Amino acid sequence: MAVATGKSFASRFGVHIAVFIFVAIWTVPTLGILVSSLRDKDQIIASGWWNSFASSTQTEAGRLPPASAQVEKDGKFVLEGNIFGDDPARDISAFGVKSSAPTQYPAGTTADLGDGETLQLNADGSFVMTSTKPFEGERGQRVYYASSAPPKFTTENYNTVLFSEGIGRSFMNSLTVTIPATVIPILIAAFAAYALAWMRFPGRALLIAVIIGLLVVPLQMSLIPLLKLYNGVGSFFGVPFAIYLLRSYIAGLPREIMESARIDGASDFEIFVKIVLPLSFPVLASFAIFQFLWVWNDLLVAMVFLGTEGDQIVLTAKLNALLGSRGGDWEILTTSAFITIVVPLIVFFSLQRYFVRGLLAGSVKGG
């Protein structure tokens, strides 16, 4: 008995560890996208999102004022100011005047640049450059420095993406496509599933076999026929799977309820609307999650069926375009990616309590 108890505990412990690992694999990248989408673009380049709550250190370059800004003091020519301009919220640890040695001098020390020139760059970005001869040239001395900045979070990335990059319009296009493409197949499949489960008519078994056979047909093989049908009848993606899933559940509903309703004079439509649909909500919610995610995340069908104009392109196609045109702008890409996944997350967590019930429903018995 003790051995069995030990095995049971080990089995439960293994299941918990496995669930924890899968949750971590899914959650950590999503958290990284969210954090990166809220970070300043310079800090995204300087450090990973896991360092977002700590000060980031990066090597940058700046230019001192031109010769026209010099003043003469005590027989020397002087340039003064702050290399950060109006944004001195950073600390400099070291500086240099050569790209090969950007941190040659500690902050606050006076560097001898030769020919009577010296440069002192302090931790707060203030500098004093002196020379025994007048400065010349329209461009100031180039200076490299290592600076640390406190964590900086902003919603400006979302403002840029939603109102400047066209993601906002693509977001609405995706909703316009996804909601009907989720609701319409569910309605059609629910009617068909009830008919195949509880109504008797010639060819019923053959029709069920055809629907099951359609499950193995890849969508890519049907793109051209679907494109020809699309202009007339709209989108019916996922209907075979929906009918199969819903029929397995509806066929498992108690026969006594159906017979009692028929004895009371209810028609098939009344039985379907007043009895079958309320009892089938878990499986309807489960398929709604599947269908919504399929349509929302689909790129291939969107590129084939929809146009490429700015007012027609959906979110996945727009994000794919951003990957090509804005491949180095991580703040744009991470923000766009999180906007893409936030709606499916809301749908899933809203209906997740029905998810397992709907998937397992009808798996034991069916008509």
Side-chain angles (χ1 to χ4, degrees), residues 95-266:
F95 69 97
V97 293
K98 299 178 181 178
S99 59
S100 58
T103 57
Q104 183 178 1
Y105 307 103
T109 61
T110 300
D112 185 356
L113 306 184
D115 294 331
E117 294 185 0
T118 63
L119 172 63
Q120 180 182 353
L121 182 60
N122 300 313
D124 61 356
S126 61
F127 65 87
V128 177
M129 187 174 185
T130 64
S131 176
T132 57
K133 298 181 296 184
F135 294 103
E136 298 178 352
E138 297 180 356
R139 305 183 68 184
Q141 172 69 46
R142 192 169 186 84
V143 179
Y144 301 89
Y145 55 89
S147 64
S148 61
K152 183 178 180 181
F153 296 95
T154 177
T155 58
E156 185 63 28
N157 297 334
Y158 284 92
N159 182 65
T160 300
V161 166
L162 291 175
F163 301 107
S164 299
E165 294 293 336
I167 292 291
R169 178 61 184 177
S170 299
F171 184 86
M172 297 306 300
N173 290 344
S174 288
L175 286 178
T176 303
V177 171
T178 305
I179 292 176
T182 300
V183 174
I184 293 175
I186 289 179
L187 290 177
I188 296 174
F191 279 107
Y194 172 76
L196 294 174
W198 292 103
M199 297 177 67
R200 299 293 182 265
F201 54 88
R204 173 173 169 267
L206 178 61
L207 186 57
I208 293 174
V210 171
I211 291 174
I212 294 175
L214 289 175
L215 293 176
V216 301
V217 178
L219 177 62
Q220 291 82 355
M221 293 182 59
S222 58
L223 283 179
I224 300 304
L226 283 174
L227 183 58
K228 293 182 178 180
L229 292 172
Y230 181 76
N231 293 330
V233 299
S235 175
F236 293 102
F237 308 127
V239 170
F241 176 73
I243 295 175
Y244 176 77
L245 180 66
L246 296 179
R247 181 190 173 277
S248 298
Y249 180 87
I250 293 175
L253 295 176
R255 182 179 297 273
E256 293 79 8
I257 298 178
M258 310 296 179
E259 293 176 349
S260 298
R262 286 194 174 92
I263 291 174
D264 292 337

